[in-house]
Amino acid sequence: MNVGEIVEDALRYPLSDWKKVLIYGFIGLFTTTAVFRLFFAMDGLTNPGLILLLVFLELIVSIYFTGYFLQVIKLSLSDAKKLPQFNEVKEKLSDGIKVFIVGIVYMLPIILTISIFAILSEVALGIIINHAINNGFNLENILSILLNLGIGIGIFLAIMYMIVILPLFILSLVHMADNDSALVFAFKFHEIFNKIRGIGWINLISWYLSSGLIFLAILTFLGTFTLGVFSLLDSIDIGGLLISVVIVPYLYMYFARSSALIYMKKIGE
């Protein structure tokens, strides 16, 4: 399978069972407390206990949603053509927790980067304020600009980090899935990089860029078209709902499937 065939296979994969795509999308809706509140007519909820309950439910649904993503990877590694069922809840929750842990580890550099730049900005602000107090010059807009600039640089570096690290993060999940979901395999970087060398860096980059373009194209064109049509009908909320229930789960399934297929590829195939 070359990269083009992998992309084609992964694009067709969710289309084999639209019912499951829609169910997956519907589950994804409840990964935010806002939807929970709206669905249960509790939009004005202020009770701390109920708010904590909703947050807990959101977390459970998010873990299950992520666990299903890993299940798609597992089935794809076994060359199955069908999408996973929504049973085996315990296994999906277990897999989801592991994916969350891996994600947190990979996110730590981003959190640290933004935090460091925010702290540095605050330190700089303190220096300017002290200087202003002593010398009396006008601080008009300087404080907010400096703070926003520091945080902005941190966010920019974080985005660059995400772009570079994302394929490694995805392949670490696949490597974990390929080893009975054992968490330790997500951090066996020597094995993961050996696998990448077997895939070929050019093949991996080609898949990553192709998938990125597909993601942008589907989300931009179909998403914009959907919102545009329903805004004309004065039903933009329905357009947003369709994007969440159809386009987003489709993209999740595409990435799970294609990452498993590229993982199994070897140079020369």
Side-chain angles (χ1 to χ4, degrees):
M1 237 187 204
N2 58 39
V3 174
E5 290 171 332
I6 288 172
V7 169
E8 182 182 353
D9 181 290
L11 286 171
R12 285 189 283 104
Y13 176 70
L15 304 179
S16 64
D17 195 335
W18 270 110
K19 181 180 177 181
K20 288 180 181 176
V21 174
L22 295 176
I23 293 173
Y24 190 46
F26 184 75
I27 292 171
L29 285 177
F30 291 90
T31 57
T32 61
T33 52
V35 174
F36 263 113
R37 292 185 184 192
L38 182 64
F39 188 81
F40 292 107
M42 293 189 293
D43 196 37
L45 181 65
T46 57
N47 185 293
L50 287 177
I51 291 174
L52 285 175
L53 176 61
L54 289 181
V55 171
F56 175 74
L57 291 174
E58 172 198 357
L59 180 61
I60 296 298
V61 175
S62 298
I63 290 172
Y64 179 88
F65 186 84
T66 309
Y68 187 89
F69 177 83
L70 199 69
Q71 288 286 308
V72 174
I73 292 176
K74 284 182 178 180
L75 284 185
S76 296
L77 287 171
S78 66
D79 203 30
K81 304 297 182 183
K82 294 183 178 181
L83 277 69
Q85 299 292 337
F86 292 94
N87 54 2
E88 298 178 338
V89 175
K90 184 178 179 180
E91 181 181 356
K92 288 179 177 62
L93 289 175
S94 175
D95 283 345
I97 290 172
K98 292 171 185 176
V99 173
F100 264 82
I101 292 172
V102 177
I104 290 171
V105 172
Y106 275 90
M107 286 289 289
L108 281 177
I110 294 177
I111 297 170
L112 290 173
T113 299
I114 295 176
S115 300
I116 288 171
F117 274 90
I119 292 170
L120 290 176
S121 296
E122 288 187 16
V123 172
L125 284 174
I127 294 172
I128 290 178
I129 290 171
N130 289 331
H131 187 75
I133 292 173
N134 295 328
N135 297 280
F137 68 81
N138 191 351
L139 287 177
E140 185 178 357
N141 294 328
I142 292 179
L143 303 181
S144 61
I145 291 173
L146 185 58
L147 181 60
N148 290 332
L149 179 62
I151 295 175
I153 292 173
I155 292 174
F156 173 77
L157 292 176
I159 292 172
M160 292 299 101
Y161 169 83
M162 275 299 298
I163 291 173
V164 172
I165 208 68
L166 187 57
L168 178 61
F169 168 67
I170 293 175
L171 286 184
S172 71
L173 295 181
V174 182
H175 191 58
M176 180 175 69
D178 195 34
N179 289 275
D180 297 322
S181 296
L183 184 61
V184 65
F185 283 92
F187 305 107
K188 291 197 172 185
F189 298 110
H190 179 70
E191 294 181 10
I192 295 170
F193 277 104
N194 280 341
K195 194 67 182 179
I196 292 174
R197 282 189 283 270
I199 296 168
W201 282 100
I202 293 177
N203 288 325
L204 180 63
I205 293 172
S206 177
W207 164 76
Y208 185 46
L209 291 177
S210 300
S211 296
L213 289 173
I214 288 169
F215 175 85
L216 290 174
I218 292 176
L219 206 56
T220 301
F221 294 112
L222 286 181
T224 303
F225 175 78
T226 302
L227 287 177
V229 169
F230 281 93
S231 65
L232 291 174
L233 299 173
D234 200 25
S235 302
I236 195 168
D237 289 341
I238 296 178
L241 181 65
L242 284 176
I243 291 173
S244 299
V245 175
V246 179
I247 296 178
V248 171
Y250 175 88
L251 289 172
Y252 264 87
M253 290 176 174
Y254 164 81
F255 273 105
R257 176 73 174 181
S258 63
S259 62
L261 295 180
I262 195 69
Y263 176 87
M264 295 188 290
K265 180 177 173 53
K266 296 179 180 178
I267 292 178
E269 288 185 346

